[in-house]
């Protein structure tokens, strides 16, 4: 009897587990990285390098905890699989004894970036560091094209005896050629990282090895700034052109939370279906945060859920989320807006609008490091050889063009870049709300287990729509008659009393004004 | 025969000359006593912050020093704030005449209480004194030469209306409504005194100009106030024969107009954007039966229909309200003129939105904000009932339709028209001042609503409706007082024979 019950209950329980909407779950535990820094180097050439590291670590699906070196708490290092220290100030040595003692006992991997590596690091790598005051250098690492760097007070590895060496740095105008980074045992040292130049991708190559990432990286074309107000015909044309050129792409679409039953919204959905049919994958861009943030506003989760469900009901399958990186460092946004997704495209921060800032990031199973297409083209001589070996999954990002001329220009740039773009839906992605589970794998998209046929010919949307619902009225005829009766009665009374007034006035004049 | 033309007996003369028993003194004292009880005795009455205090407090050197300040938004009145001790990095976001009063109150606070903690009751004390003075001038200008019985009745009504805590609770807050209330009553009282020739014309002109300038510059949306008052104040130029007064008045009129224009031009780009966004999304589109056709008529892409009903301050929205896309495709396609034209060709929609406006046009106390301190133990957002009879009655009894506002305007103008026409016929420019004042006050109140709707849809209505509700009270109070004083149809300074007495128009003083 007990077995019978178990036979009935167990499959039911399993079904329930499968059907119960759960937030996106990670398949494997992400690396936990403690990122320590001495300063954010505001106003110097190194400003933004900590931010750059955060972005790169996110792209390797690492969960990052950002802590100022002075606020390091004894014993906390052991909670992390990896530790990174960034020293941006040349005149500050790492003399936090608590940190140094913990580091000596630390069993995980340690990476030092910037000035003044710790004594242990120096000893382990037999390291000698020098400073290049200015000039330019050429950096070559992995399969990346050669990058030119303009340097200023740049620390470099003058001498070392290390087990591992990463890349080559050649100072132009001299014959000095040194490794970009070195490593031995648990210690790795990268002397230079600047956001926005060739050292950024070089750093990404070092991190890839340091975090033992073995998956083949892919590059994706991401078109963002797509709104319901975008020229939807141009959007479809763009999708057609890219399809004809064999370029798969991701459309990061802006969500709509109001008036979603309007014809304007239906046209937006039609255009998105057409994009999907042309090998375009859809990711939901997070909403714009308004100028005033109220901490009592807890509607984000509901709004995002409704929008995702609306898309899914209409046969549009979002496969991830597009957000500025700082969203992953906000407790409210991470737990409500990003909750539904296990894949993300993280864009550079423009304006920070935290609601509940935290120092530990949300990690995604799949997270794309984004590089603006224009930056990539100007930074590397992409030429015909192409940028085939970007170290991590990368989103090459371009804003959706305003007009046809802009579209032609963008298509030309894409052709000239020779970047082999991958199809986002070939990888595994999962989006889950209370009512829908959307997945993709090996090019197949499913909504609630049903394979989605993405072939679609857009239909014209009728502009006929009842914007104002007429209220049900009772006794309309009776009230109409009543209204007319009162209007007549009031006019008659006014005329009557007016007449009396005139007569009375005349009588008064006759009697007293003589 | 009118009461004021009767020769008062010696005893009556004595009574009237005794300031302490004049209706104006009684009304001012009554308002003072009620306000002191409400604002300065426990439980203290004030207004909770709705998030607007930040702009005016921080730029004036005050900060929120209570750790749980955020949790008291809307719910509880807070009476103490911190005074910045070091460099204040908060530049003035708003240039408002309200800052003068706050700075003065901080000075008083530092002198008498503390240079670290600011108690908003110092500001309330200052406002209360000014308010009582304004009430005195107003009632004196109305009841001068009136019988004692009539005067006392008017004083009682004045206490009932202007002693209402819905008005005075603003003094214990950083809302600009406190300055608006006081200055509007000063404008009304001084103009009425000019009409009645109760005080020195030069002094009253100075008071009128000063209070108009402070009123106009107290809030950015008050820019039309200076313009409207200055246009109607042109008639003041000819109330006296001396050239000096005429040049002075002309200069004052130009100054008031320029103040209005300057306030308008000083409206920051952000406010312009906010208003423009709301003018379309919360105005034109909101009550349109077909937003897509409406947008097309402005040359805007029909897809923007999705923005119907949205507000600028949406926490989570589809598009950045300051984005270049909106600047290029949306904001650039319309302005005040095209929207005015749209409403002119769609009067039905204008009527609908005016009726929306009328729903809260008779509310003095904002329903969203509480009046008590948290320590008073009242529930979150609780309102005081202490001396709130008038505001409660008005809210309950006034018909909440714009049609009523139109009828009110027509009835009042109709009532004052005979005396105005008579004054015009006699060439008595002082005699038409009552009509000019009533028109200016109505203009200030009604135009606020109209300009707001055209300029910012229904999003900012509540801010503009305070001036309407105050104007409504002042004009209605004047009309009722004139009915009690039996002077509604006639210029009170005219002889019983109706002959124009040029002596009277020579003016007091000078």
């Amino acid at each position: 009897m007990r077995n019978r019950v178990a036979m009935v209950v167990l499959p039911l329980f399993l079904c329930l587990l499968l059907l119960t909407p759960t937030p996106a779950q990670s398949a494997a535990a992400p690396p936990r990285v403690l990122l320590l820094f001495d300063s954010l180097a505001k106003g110097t050439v190194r400003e933004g390098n900590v931010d750059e590291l955060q972005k790169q670590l996110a792209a390797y699906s690492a969960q990052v905890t950002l802590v100022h070196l002075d606020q390091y708490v004894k014993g906390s290092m052991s909670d992390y699989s990896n530790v990174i220290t960034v020293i941006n100030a040349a005149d500050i040595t790492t003399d936090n004894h608590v940190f140094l003692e913990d580091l000596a006992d630390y069993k995980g991997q340690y990476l030092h970036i910037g000035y003044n590596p710790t004594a242990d690091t120096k000893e382990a790598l037999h390291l000698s560091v020098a400073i290049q005051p200015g000039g330019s250098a050429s950096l070559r690492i992995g399969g990346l094209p050669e990058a030119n760097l303009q340097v200023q007070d740049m620390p470099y590895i003058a001498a070392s005896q290390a087990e591992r060496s990463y890349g080559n740095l050649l100072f132009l105008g001299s014959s000095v050629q040194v490794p970009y980074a070195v490593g031995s045992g648990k210690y790795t040292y990268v002397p230079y990282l600047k956001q926005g130049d060739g050292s950024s991708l070089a750093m990404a190559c070092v991190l890839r090895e340091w975090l033992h990432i073995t998956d083949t990286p892919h590059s994706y074309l991401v078109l963002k700034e797509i709104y319901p107000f975008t020229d939807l015909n141009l959007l479809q044309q763009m999708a057609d052109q890219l399809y004809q050129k064999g370029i798969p792409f991701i459309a990061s679409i802006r969500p709509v939370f109001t008036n979603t039953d309007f014809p304007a919204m239906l046209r937006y959905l039609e255009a998105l279906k057409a994009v999907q049919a042309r090998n375009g994958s859809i990711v939901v861009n997070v909403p714009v945060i308004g100028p005033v943030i109220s901490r009592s506003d807890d509607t984000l989760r509901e709004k995002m859920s409704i929008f995702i469900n609306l898309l899914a009901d209409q046969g549009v399958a979002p496969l991830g989320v597009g957000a500025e990186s700082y969203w992953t460092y906000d407790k409210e946004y991470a737990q409500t807006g990003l909750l539904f997704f296990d894949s993300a495209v993280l864009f550079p921060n423009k304006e920070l609008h935290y609601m509940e800032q935290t120092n530990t990031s949300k990690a995604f199973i799949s997270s794309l490091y984004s590089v603006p297409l224009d930056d990539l083209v100007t930074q590397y001589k992409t030429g015909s050889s192409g940028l085939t070996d970007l170290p991590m999954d990368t989103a090459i990002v371009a804003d959706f063009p305003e007009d046809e001329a802009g579209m032609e220009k963008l298509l030309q740039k894409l052709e000239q870049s020779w970047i082999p773009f991958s199809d986002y839906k070939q990888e595994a992605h999962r989006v889950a709300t209370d009512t829908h589970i959307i997945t993709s794998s090996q090019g197949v998209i499913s909504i609630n287990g049903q394979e989605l046929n993405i072939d679609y010919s857009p239909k014209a949307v009728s502009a006929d729509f009842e914007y104002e619902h007429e209220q049900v009225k009772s006794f309309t005829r009776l009230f109409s008659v009543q209204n007319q009766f009162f209007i007549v009665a009031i006019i008659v009374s006014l005329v009557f009393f007016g007449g009396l007034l005139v007569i009375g006035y005349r009588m008064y004049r006759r009697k007293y004004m003589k | 025969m009118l009461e004021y033309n009767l020769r008062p007996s010696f005893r009556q003369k004595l009574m009237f000359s005794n300031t302490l028993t004049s209706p104006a003194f009684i009304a001012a004292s009554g308002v003072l006593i009620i306000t002191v009880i409400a604002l300065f005795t426990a439980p203290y009455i004030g207004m909770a912050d709705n998030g607007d205090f930040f702009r005016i407090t921080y730029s004036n050197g005050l900060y929120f020093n209570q750790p749980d300040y955020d949790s008291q938004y809307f719910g509880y009145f807070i009476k103490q704030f911190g005074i910045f001790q070091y460099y204040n990095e908060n530049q003035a976001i708003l240039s408002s005449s309200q800052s003068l009063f706050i700075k003065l109150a901080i000075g008083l606070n530092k002198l008498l209480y503390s240079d670290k903690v600011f108690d908003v009751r110092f500001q309330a004390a200052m406002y209360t004194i000014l308010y009582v003075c304004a009430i005195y001038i107003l009632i004196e200008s109305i009841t001068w030469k009136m019988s004692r019985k009539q005067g006392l009745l008017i004083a009682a009504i004045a206490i009932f209306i202007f002693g209402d805590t819905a008005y005075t609770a603003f003094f214990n807050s950083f809302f600009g409504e406190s300055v608006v209330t006081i200055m509007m009553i000063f404008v009304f009282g001084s103009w009425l005194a000019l009409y009645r020739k109760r005080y020195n014309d030069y002094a009253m002109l100075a008071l009128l100009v000063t209070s108009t300038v402070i009123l106009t510059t107290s809030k950015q949306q008050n820019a039309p106030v200076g313009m409207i008052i200055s246009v109607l104040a042109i008639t003041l130029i000819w109330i006296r024969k001396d050239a000096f007064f005429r040049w002075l008045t002309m200069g004052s009129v130009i100054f008031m107009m320029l103040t209005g224009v300057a306030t308008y031009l000083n409206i920051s780009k952000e406010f312009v954007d906010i208003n423009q966004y709301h003018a379309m999304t919360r105005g034109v589109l909101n009550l349109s039966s077909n937003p897509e056709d409406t947008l097309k008529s402005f040359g805007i892409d029909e897809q923007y229909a999705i923005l119907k009903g949205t507000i600028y301050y949406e926490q989570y929205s589809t598009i950045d309200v300051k984005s270049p896309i909106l600047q290029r495709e949306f904001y650039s396609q319309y302005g005040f003129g095209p929207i005015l034209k749209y409403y002119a060709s769609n009067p039905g929609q204008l009527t609908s939105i005016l009726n929306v406006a009328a729903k809260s046009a008779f509310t003095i106390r904002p329903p969203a904000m509480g009046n008590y301190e948290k320590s008073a133990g009242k529930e979150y957002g609780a309102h005081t009932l202490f001396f709130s009879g008038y505001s409660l009655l008005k809210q309950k009894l006034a018909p909440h339709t714009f049609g009523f506002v139109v009828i009110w305007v027509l009835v009042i103008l109709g009532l004052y028209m005979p005396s105005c026409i008579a004054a015009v016929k006699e060439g008595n420019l002082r005699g038409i001042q009552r009509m000019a004042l009533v028109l200016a006050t109505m203009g200030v109140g009604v135009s606020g609503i109209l300009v707001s709707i055209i300029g910012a849809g229904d999003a900012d209505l509540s801010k503009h409706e305070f001036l309407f509700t105050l104007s409504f009270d002042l004009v209605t109070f004047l009309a009722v007082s004139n009915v009690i004083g039996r002077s509604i149809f006639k210029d009170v300074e005219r002889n019983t024979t109706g002959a124009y007495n040029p002596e009277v128009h020579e003016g007091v003083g000078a």
Side-chain angles (χ1 to χ4, degrees):
Chain A
M1 182 63 185
R2 197 176 277 177
N3 282 346
R4 262 197 194 162
V5 172
M7 279 170 73
V8 174
V9 169
L10 199 63
L12 273 175
F13 180 69
L14 284 172
C15 284
L16 201 68
L17 273 182
L18 286 171
L19 290 173
T20 304
T22 50
Q25 296 159 350
S26 89
R32 300 192 68 216
V33 179
L34 175 63
L35 177 56
L36 299 157
F37 66 99
D38 69 330
S39 82
L40 296 173
K42 299 253 174 167
T44 73
V45 290
R46 284 166 191 81
E47 178 173 351
N49 63 1
V50 174
D51 188 46
E52 178 64 29
L53 261 178
Q54 288 174 271
K55 274 176 63 188
Q56 293 187 4
L57 289 165
Y60 290 124
S61 298
Q63 187 189 51
V64 179
T65 300
L66 184 70
V67 178
H68 193 282
L69 197 56
D70 291 346
Q71 288 162 357
Y72 173 76
V73 177
K74 186 174 170 55
S76 57
M77 202 179 281
S78 57
D79 296 340
Y80 300 91
S81 57
N82 301 67
V83 174
I84 301 173
T85 304
V86 181
I87 302 294
N88 276 322
D91 51 349
I92 293 176
T93 49
T94 320
D95 56 359
N96 182 333
H97 296 294
V98 175
F99 162 73
L100 292 172
E101 281 163 19
D102 279 4
L103 183 61
D105 300 334
Y106 184 58
K107 299 282 184 273
Q109 288 293 310
Y110 174 72
L111 168 62
H112 190 101
I113 298 168
Y115 295 104
N116 305 321
T118 61
D120 286 356
T121 310
K122 274 184 172 173
E123 193 183 325
L125 302 173
H126 303 284
L127 192 64
S128 167
V129 179
I131 304 288
Q132 177 73 16
S136 54
S138 137
L139 175 63
R140 188 174 275 279
I141 191 166
L144 288 173
E146 188 179 297
N148 291 322
L149 313 179
Q150 292 299 316
V151 299
Q152 190 186 330
D153 295 330
M154 177 198 197
Y156 66 93
I157 299 162
S160 76
Q161 290 174 15
E163 294 164 7
R164 304 182 298 276
S165 171
Y166 308 89
N168 282 307
L169 193 64
L170 175 69
F171 291 107
L172 301 180
S174 74
S175 57
V176 180
Q177 188 168 347
V178 293
Y180 171 67
V182 289
S184 273
K186 74 176 185 183
Y187 294 100
T188 304
Y189 176 58
V190 177
Y192 178 75
L193 170 62
K194 184 185 166 196
Q195 189 180 38
D197 74 2
S199 65
S200 289
L201 283 182
M203 182 76 240
C205 292
V206 176
L207 279 180
R208 180 180 166 81
E209 211 172 309
W210 188 67
L211 290 166
H212 309 295
I213 307 292
T214 52
D215 295 347
T216 312
H218 297 97
S219 297
Y220 302 93
L221 171 63
V222 177
L223 297 177
K224 66 182 187 68
E225 306 303 321
I226 297 173
Y227 301 90
F229 327 112
T230 299
D231 183 341
L232 299 177
N233 289 327
L234 190 69
L235 179 61
Q236 290 179 40
Q237 269 185 52
M238 180 88 187
D240 285 340
Q241 294 266 7
L242 289 170
Y243 184 69
Q244 283 161 18
K245 291 179 193 302
I247 303 175
F249 65 101
I250 298 170
S252 185
I253 60 153
R254 293 283 178 172
V256 181
F257 303 132
T258 54
N259 304 320
T260 49
D261 52 346
F262 282 15
M265 182 67 194
L266 299 180
R267 280 184 219 111
Y268 185 39
L269 292 168
E270 284 295 312
L272 297 182
K273 280 189 251 183
V275 163
Q276 207 171 236
R278 290 288 178 267
N279 231 358
S281 299
I282 305 291
V283 299
V284 177
N285 207 106
V286 292
V288 174
I289 305 294
V292 178
I293 299 173
S294 162
R295 293 189 104 186
S296 58
D297 187 332
D298 56 358
T299 58
L300 182 59
R301 180 177 176 159
E302 189 190 355
K303 283 177 171 162
M304 288 295 277
S305 169
I306 289 172
F307 182 67
I308 295 165
N309 290 338
L310 173 76
L311 291 178
D313 287 338
Q314 292 289 327
V316 178
L319 301 179
V321 64
E324 285 178 64
S325 300
Y326 80 89
W327 271 63
T328 59
Y329 284 88
D330 187 287
K331 205 172 165 189
E332 173 68 17
Y333 300 154
Q335 288 179 359
T336 57
L338 307 178
L339 170 84
F340 310 98
F341 310 93
D342 72 359
S343 302
V345 182
L346 298 178
F347 301 119
N349 295 330
K350 277 188 185 166
E351 275 182 52
L352 306 179
H353 294 285
Y354 287 108
M355 190 162 169
E356 199 178 344
Q357 191 175 359
T358 169
N359 68 340
T360 300
S361 68
K362 173 181 169 61
F364 292 91
I365 295 171
S366 158
S367 176
L368 305 189
Y369 172 86
S370 62
V371 183
L373 175 66
D374 288 338
D375 287 7
L376 208 63
V377 170
T378 52
Q379 216 174 85
Y380 292 96
K381 301 158 193 158
T382 45
S384 57
S385 62
L387 257 177
T388 51
D389 295 314
L390 287 169
M392 70 287 239
D393 286 344
T394 308
I396 315 293
V397 183
D399 286 353
F400 185 75
E402 291 168 18
D403 48 28
E404 275 192 49
M407 179 178 79
E408 293 302 333
K409 212 170 155 187
L410 176 61
L411 288 168
Q412 205 180 352
K413 266 188 211 166
L414 287 170
E415 279 183 322
Q416 285 172 354
S417 73
W418 287 90
I419 302 167
F421 292 110
S422 301
D423 187 354
Y424 195 59
K425 61 181 175 290
Q426 288 293 335
E427 301 301 314
H429 305 288
R430 186 171 185 270
V431 179
T433 67
D434 292 346
T435 53
H436 293 88
I437 295 174
I438 303 151
T439 56
S440 80
S441 180
Q442 296 180 335
V444 177
I445 298 174
S446 302
I447 297 178
N448 291 340
Q450 297 281 314
E451 192 178 315
L452 179 71
N453 180 9
I454 57 170
D455 282 344
Y456 188 75
S457 302
K459 297 178 191 120
V461 174
S462 167
D464 292 335
F465 182 75
E466 198 183 333
Y467 287 94
E468 299 292 326
H469 299 291
E470 273 207 30
Q471 288 180 341
V472 183
K473 293 171 186 164
S474 320
F475 307 113
T476 45
R477 200 168 162 183
L478 178 70
F479 283 124
S480 155
V481 171
Q482 189 194 32
N483 264 348
Q484 283 169 5
F485 171 76
F486 279 128
I487 288 167
V488 172
I490 290 166
I491 289 170
V492 168
S493 315
L494 282 175
V495 170
F496 179 71
F497 283 106
L500 284 181
L501 208 68
V502 171
I503 294 164
Y505 184 67
R506 287 190 163 200
M507 286 170 75
Y508 168 81
R509 281 180 71 95
R510 259 183 230 153
K511 191 166 181 182
Y512 294 105
M513 296 296 191
K514 274 181 182 172
Chain B
M1 181 132 329
L2 297 173
E3 190 73 34
Y4 55 81
N5 284 316
L6 291 173
R7 275 187 166 274
S9 68
F10 180 68
R11 194 177 160 188
Q12 277 175 316
K13 257 186 181 175
L14 260 183
M15 280 181 71
F16 271 84
S17 62
N18 189 347
T19 319
L20 291 177
T21 56
S22 72
F25 188 83
I26 291 168
S29 308
V31 170
L32 177 68
I33 291 164
I34 292 158
T35 309
V36 166
I37 293 170
L39 307 189
F40 302 98
T41 59
Y44 306 108
I45 290 166
M47 296 288 284
D49 184 3
N50 67 346
D52 280 357
F53 288 7
F54 171 79
R55 283 187 286 208
I56 196 81
T57 48
Y58 274 70
S59 60
N60 280 298
L62 299 177
Y63 66 95
F64 305 147
N65 62 350
Q66 306 235 348
D68 60 344
Y69 193 93
D70 282 2
S71 66
Q72 299 193 48
Y73 274 119
F74 289 100
Y76 298 106
F77 151 56
I78 292 170
K79 69 172 186 290
Q80 292 194 326
F81 298 82
I83 300 173
F84 277 120
Q85 299 298 303
Y86 305 103
Y87 173 69
N88 178 10
E89 64 184 10
N90 299 280
Q91 296 299 313
I93 306 167
L94 292 168
S95 44
S96 162
S97 57
Q98 195 192 346
S99 295
L100 297 173
F101 296 96
I102 296 174
K103 291 251 162 70
L104 205 60
I106 294 172
L108 265 178
N109 184 93
K110 282 183 177 172
L111 201 67
L112 302 172
Y113 176 57
S114 162
D115 54 3
K116 287 187 178 144
V117 177
F118 175 69
D119 195 316
V120 78
R121 286 174 298 169
F122 279 96
Q123 181 197 264
M126 213 171 58
Y127 282 148
T128 305
I129 293 166
L130 284 171
Y131 187 60
V132 166
C133 293
I135 297 287
Y136 182 88
I137 292 173
L138 172 69
I139 306 304
E140 181 62 21
S141 301
I142 292 174
T143 59
W144 185 50
K145 291 186 183 175
M146 224 176 239
S147 78
R148 183 168 172 73
K149 209 185 277 176
Q150 289 167 339
L152 288 178
L153 182 58
I154 291 167
I157 296 172
I159 294 170
F160 182 58
I161 295 176
F162 300 109
D164 196 294
T165 53
Y167 278 127
T168 53
F170 280 113
F171 299 168
N172 258 340
S173 79
F174 291 103
F175 288 113
E177 275 74 1
S178 41
V179 178
V180 168
T181 309
I182 295 164
M183 292 307 141
M184 190 67 203
I185 295 176
F186 267 129
V187 168
F188 202 86
S190 56
W191 203 328
L192 212 51
L194 281 166
Y195 162 68
R196 297 290 313 271
K197 222 159 81 74
R198 171 65 186 91
Y199 298 109
N200 182 298
D201 284 344
Y202 288 94
M204 286 303 106
L205 182 67
L207 184 59
L208 174 68
V209 175
T210 310
S211 45
T212 302
V213 169
I214 295 174
L215 173 64
T216 307
T217 52
S218 65
K219 289 180 158 208
Q220 293 186 330
Q221 63 262 32
N222 284 355
V225 171
M227 300 183 205
I228 291 168
I229 292 179
S230 64
V231 167
L232 284 150
I234 290 172
T235 55
L236 284 169
I237 295 171
W238 297 279
I239 62 168
R240 290 176 68 96
K241 286 179 177 171
D242 44 320
F244 179 66
F245 182 84
R246 291 188 171 183
W247 281 111
L248 193 67
T249 314
M250 209 181 293
S252 304
V253 166
I254 294 167
F255 182 55
M256 288 190 287
M257 174 60 85
L258 289 179
T259 306
V261 173
T263 306
Y264 179 76
L265 294 177
N266 199 30
I267 296 174
S268 64
K269 174 83 174 71
E270 193 189 352
F271 278 99
V272 172
D273 282 353
I274 294 167
N275 289 342
Q276 201 178 355
Y277 185 84
H278 288 152
M280 184 57 74
T281 61
R282 299 291 316 176
V284 171
L285 291 183
N286 214 21
L287 291 169
S288 167
S289 56
N290 193 330
E292 293 197 355
D293 285 348
T294 304
L295 285 166
K296 279 186 209 160
S297 72
F298 283 93
I300 300 171
D301 184 2
E302 62 201 1
Q303 285 296 109
Y304 285 96
I306 282 178
L307 296 180
K308 178 186 164 169
T310 56
I311 59 164
Y312 190 91
Y313 293 106
E314 214 86 54
Q315 181 142 327
Y316 304 112
S317 58
T318 302
I319 190 162
D320 182 355
V321 281
K322 290 177 274 185
S323 73
I325 303 168
L326 282 187
Q327 298 284 358
R328 197 176 57 241
E329 296 180 1
F330 193 66
Y331 297 134
S332 63
Q333 304 297 312
Y334 65 95
F336 193 87
I339 290 179
L340 187 65
K341 200 173 138 197
Y342 175 81
Y343 280 124
S345 52
N346 293 275
Q349 207 175 317
L350 181 63
T351 312
S352 308
I353 203 163
L354 285 173
N355 277 327
V356 172
K359 280 186 182 145
S360 49
F362 300 96
T363 306
I364 305 172
R365 173 177 288 134
M369 280 84 84
N371 290 133
Y372 291 106
E373 286 181 282
K374 199 174 182 183
S375 57
K378 306 276 181 182
E379 66 182 56
Y380 181 90
H383 287 159
T384 178
L385 290 176
F386 176 71
F387 216 85
S388 303
Y390 175 70
S391 53
L392 291 173
L393 272 176
K394 184 179 172 186
Q395 200 178 338
K396 291 273 176 225
L397 299 181
H400 296 250
T401 62
F402 200 74
F404 174 70
V405 176
V406 174
I407 291 169
W408 170 75
V409 168
L410 293 177
V411 167
I412 297 285
L413 293 183
L415 287 173
Y416 286 117
M417 198 55 83
S419 66
C420 180
I421 290 169
V424 170
K425 276 181 183 168
E426 288 166 9
N428 171 12
L429 266 297
R430 197 184 284 270
I432 68 164
Q433 290 311 312
R434 188 168 60 172
M435 186 60 148
L437 169 61
V438 166
L439 273 175
T441 313
M442 281 177 167
V444 164
V446 177
S447 74
I449 294 180
L450 285 171
V451 169
S452 170
I453 284 171
I454 296 162
D458 68 357
D460 258 356
L461 274 175
S462 57
K463 282 185 191 168
H464 293 80
E465 286 190 330
F466 180 79
L467 207 46
F468 172 77
T469 203
L470 178 60
S471 301
F472 177 87
D473 286 352
L474 284 169
V475 171
T476 311
F477 172 69
L478 178 69
V480 170
S481 305
N482 288 154
V483 168
I484 293 168
R486 299 176 202 166
S487 58
I488 191 112
F489 296 122
K490 288 195 176 179
D491 176 7
V492 287
E493 303 308 335
R494 290 169 71 214
N495 292 333
T496 42
T497 55
Y500 168 55
N501 180 2
E503 282 241 316
V504 173
H505 296 268
E506 283 300 315
V508 177

